[in-house]
Amino acid sequence: MSQLERTIVQTQKVRLSTPDQPFRFECGRELRHLEVAFETYGRLNAAADNAVYVVHALTGSAHAAFYNSPEEDRPGWWDGLIGPGKALDPDRYFIVCANLLGSCYGTTGPSSINPETGDIYGMDFPPITTRDMVKAQKLLLDYLGVKRLRLVLGGSLGGMITWQWLVDYPEFVEAAIPIAGTVQGSPWMIALNEVARQAIFNDPAWQDGWYRGQGPSAGLALARMIAMISYRSDRQFWQRFGRARVKPEPEHQLEFDNWFQIESYLHYQGHKLVKRFDARTYIYLTEAMDLHDVARGYSCLEEALDRIQAEVLVIGIDSDVLYYPHELKATVRTLQKLGKKAQYAEISSIYGHDAFLVEYEQLNHLVREFLEGRPRCAS
Amino acid sequence: MSQLERTIVQTQKVRLSTPDQPFRFECGRELRHLEVAFETYGRLNAAADNAVYVVHALTGSAHAAFYNSPEEDRPGWWDGLIGPGKALDPDRYFIVCANLLGSCYGTTGPSSINPETGDIYGMDFPPITTRDMVKAQKLLLDYLGVKRLRLVLGGSLGGMITWQWLVDYPEFVEAAIPIAGTVQGSPWMIALNEVARQAIFNDPAWQDGWYRGQGPSAGLALARMIAMISYRSDRQFWQRFGRARVKPEPEHQLEFDNWFQIESYLHYQGHKLVKRFDARTYIYLTEAMDLHDVARGYSCLEEALDRIQAEVLVIGIDSDVLYYPHELKATVRTLQKLGKKAQYAEISSIYGHDAFLVEYEQLNHLVREFLEGRPRCAS
């Protein structure tokens, strides 16, 4: 697409709490100045029943589709699914995506400036949960005049937050597609998050979270490198990198500093994140993932899931080694036992967890079929 | 077993190179003072045809079975497989296990003192390959009078070295059991090794490997934590830890510093390794794993594998997420196409890669059956 044909969208901002009406976190603490960055595509119809809420993942932003400027390198992170002729078509739906509470792309988070002190919130920012995130998103939708969501969907942390939507505002959601995301953070995911956090904590530049400026670059890069492995699969690494070296000549075969290309790739990915992300947000959002448990406050998981009124399509990825399909399938079985309209579908991919950002042909097909109401068998 | 009934064995040491007869590494460099720590169980018979060589994994030692002292906490690392009445019975076999070249349990490595300088070798130690390790093990077996190995076996890095034995000394090996170890380091394994190494490099106490004394404790602990995840499985973490917290009370549910038990466990494992292992050795041995490729020096993998004369039982673990069964099965198929006696068997376990240190009932059964020559179908 030439730059002339590009659709340009602007990220907007709205203040959702004030000192008079503070935002109350699940932990009981309050935020007097909550600002949320968001984008919308399409228009809310007169019946206000065509809204789709898109939830981004750990390092994502409100910029889900199109371009923010004619010069931008690449479109929004889910542009493959959102756009004219795609499953989420702005000609048909009013699509909303907001930067998560606690993130660093325009929504208030630990690295934002507290207007009352003129300094960052830092580690004094309250612990955030997926319940808090959904609450902030609901405030935004109220502000936008959305009465009910036709669909809420997202992958990874976005999938987890989608589940939280279903339990927290059951009457507000008509349909949902949690993709590669669970109803509770698994100990496996918690383990991977903890080693990533520890990589940041071990960096002397972390300074207990009170750094200003650059911060723990080496630690954040390593956190990303660790996470990147869990986002992919052994087969994808074989296919893309194999045992290729940066210096292929035979005389370099035994040199430690002659990286394998997979090593070079991981370092590249690590440094790329450092340029665009904040370490404090990484800590807060991974903690939110760990704390994620739709059953918190209920006597059991079934009681929480029994609140769901929406029709749910759970999408798993066959090669996902972070949110294994067997966990998602178990949730679908529970929902079906509870008499809910729940189906499971699986993306076939070598890309592992990241398939939800790659396999657009399958994703468009599944989302479109689901929205058009075609029956599907649960596996 | 009471301490009185314990069989006590001593780790022995032997010098395998001298300034006159230096040990030559694959890279061409030489080591004038190579000492190797080893243990033996049982006796070499008159025909010298009952020797079994046991290869340890990344952080293992020569101490494979029995006790080194009446007070020792636990027996050697593979005591479940080695001992009277077990598959590797010292009444029948002469069992040898040596600490790997480059390790830190008595064999010369980067943290050993160079007698010619009085200081550590440090990062001046030559890069080590699995070929070098096998060469040192062969020197030891020559010294012990072993003419041919009845069996060589090991798990993980030990499995990789077992493969190297088969290609480097085909006539010396009658049978082999590589367990959860590949003929080439996969890019997936390299990726996991690299993030573990980076955790060490990021520790300011690393000092480019020239630290004396304690060294990069936080970095080595994190390296171990990362590795531990890859040694287990999501199901085992669910089964053992679930979402249990260190402080179970409801009022602590949203506190960041109220660790999940899986986090506490990983930290415990990290600190435990720091007390017993050396960071330089961790770097050298993981690099050896990455460099591991039995095809190096041959025109292709098939040419290298075609050298194998031994009967081979390849054991995989169904839940292994570090050395996936599909890779091991592919190697068995290649061997079978080459007309080799190769079979595949799988351990069923939730323990993931670590199953080779856990599932002794299955292991004893498989090793015993193989040694007794019962036919088995390859899957």
Side-chain angles (χ1 to χ4, degrees), chain B residues 7-14 16 35-44 50-56 60-70 72 74-79 82-83 88 90 93-100 105-107 136-137 140-141 143-144 146 149 153:
Chain B
T7 300
I8 306 298
V9 295
Q10 299 302 328
T11 306
Q12 304 171 65
K13 281 200 185 186
V14 60
L16 292 178
E35 207 170 36
V36 169
F38 66 99
E39 294 191 2
T40 68
Y41 322 113
R43 287 187 184 181
L44 190 63
N50 70 330
V52 170
Y53 191 82
V54 169
V55 198
H56 70 72
S61 72
H63 185 32
F66 304 108
Y67 292 84
N68 283 159
S69 76
E72 201 175 14
R74 50 172 62 194
W77 59 272
W78 232 6
D79 194 80
I82 303 168
L88 302 181
Y93 300 107
F94 177 59
I95 301 155
V96 183
C97 181
N99 188 218
L100 296 179
Y105 287 105
T107 294
Q137 290 162 16
L140 171 66
L141 293 175
Y143 162 81
L144 293 171
V146 174
L149 283 173
L153 79 168

Side-chain angles (χ1 to χ4, degrees), chain B residues 42-339:
Chain B
R43 287 187 184 181
L44 190 63
N45 63 13
D49 64 0
N50 70 330
V52 170
Y53 191 82
V54 169
V55 198
H56 70 72
L58 177 59
T59 69
S61 72
H63 185 32
F66 304 108
Y67 292 84
N68 283 159
S69 76
E71 297 77 26
E72 201 175 14
D73 279 350
R74 50 172 62 194
W77 59 272
W78 232 6
D79 194 80
L81 192 66
I82 303 168
K86 297 171 189 168
L88 302 181
D89 191 333
D91 291 339
R92 198 165 167 184
Y93 300 107
F94 177 59
I95 301 155
V96 183
C97 181
N99 188 218
L100 296 179
L101 177 61
S103 184
C104 50
Y105 287 105
T107 294
T108 307
S111 296
S112 303
I113 299 294
N114 179 349
E116 296 182 13
T117 64
D119 198 359
I120 58 166
Y121 288 98
M123 303 312 279
D124 287 339
F125 204 81
I128 307 165
T129 67
T130 50
R131 185 159 285 158
D132 296 324
M133 295 172 180
V134 167
K135 187 175 177 180
Q137 290 162 16
K138 176 67 165 58
L139 285 175
L140 171 66
L141 293 175
D142 290 346
Y143 162 81
L144 293 171
V146 174
K147 299 292 179 205
R148 194 161 181 244
L149 283 173
R150 172 71 184 91
L151 179 70
V152 54
L153 79 168
S156 195
L157 172 54
M160 297 163 89
I161 295 167
T162 298
W163 283 115
Q164 197 67 52
W165 259 108
L166 291 171
V167 171
D168 290 358
Y169 299 97
E171 293 174 7
F172 194 78
V173 184
E174 191 179 334
I177 310 180
I179 305 169
T182 50
V183 291
Q184 304 175 308
S186 74
W188 183 253
M189 180 207 75
I190 293 169
L192 285 158
N193 280 342
E194 174 60 9
V195 291
R197 283 190 295 264
Q198 196 60 46
I200 293 170
F201 296 155
N202 278 0
D203 189 328
W206 167 246
Q207 298 181 290
D208 293 324
W210 290 105
Y211 61 91
R212 305 296 190 284
Q214 178 75 344
S217 307
L220 181 59
L222 178 54
R224 180 63 162 185
M225 292 167 69
I226 297 167
M228 277 305 297
I229 300 173
S230 72
Y231 297 159
R232 298 297 170 87
S233 76
D234 76 304
R235 289 180 200 264
Q236 194 255 331
F237 281 2
W238 263 120
Q239 186 179 92
R240 176 154 175 197
F241 306 103
R243 289 183 47 81
R245 307 290 285 269
V246 169
K247 290 181 277 182
E249 299 79 11
E251 64 265 31
H252 299 301
Q253 283 303 299
L254 297 182
E255 291 168 10
F256 281 2
D257 59 357
N258 179 17
W259 270 349
F260 287 87
Q261 289 188 9
I262 176 63
E263 297 176 282
S264 171
Y265 172 79
L266 289 177
H267 281 271
Y268 169 77
Q269 291 294 335
H271 291 302
K272 214 169 83 170
L273 187 76
V274 166
K275 286 189 216 147
R276 71 172 181 87
F277 210 72
D278 179 69
R280 280 178 290 253
T281 283
Y282 204 92
I283 300 298
Y284 272 86
L285 296 194
T286 55
E287 289 283 2
M289 293 167 81
D290 294 2
L291 294 174
H292 173 67
D293 181 358
V294 299
R296 190 169 51 250
Y298 299 95
S299 60
C300 65
L301 181 59
E302 285 68 22
E303 191 189 37
L305 295 179
D306 199 32
R307 289 172 52 84
I308 296 177
Q309 298 184 20
E311 189 177 349
V312 186
L313 171 65
V314 177
I315 299 182
I317 298 154
D318 60 357
S319 55
D320 195 334
V321 294
L322 184 52
Y323 299 84
Y324 283 94
H326 70 85
E327 295 193 51
L328 308 180
K329 287 180 194 171
T331 303
V332 171
R333 281 195 298 274
T334 302
L335 287 172
Q336 288 170 342
K337 274 185 207 156
L338 291 167

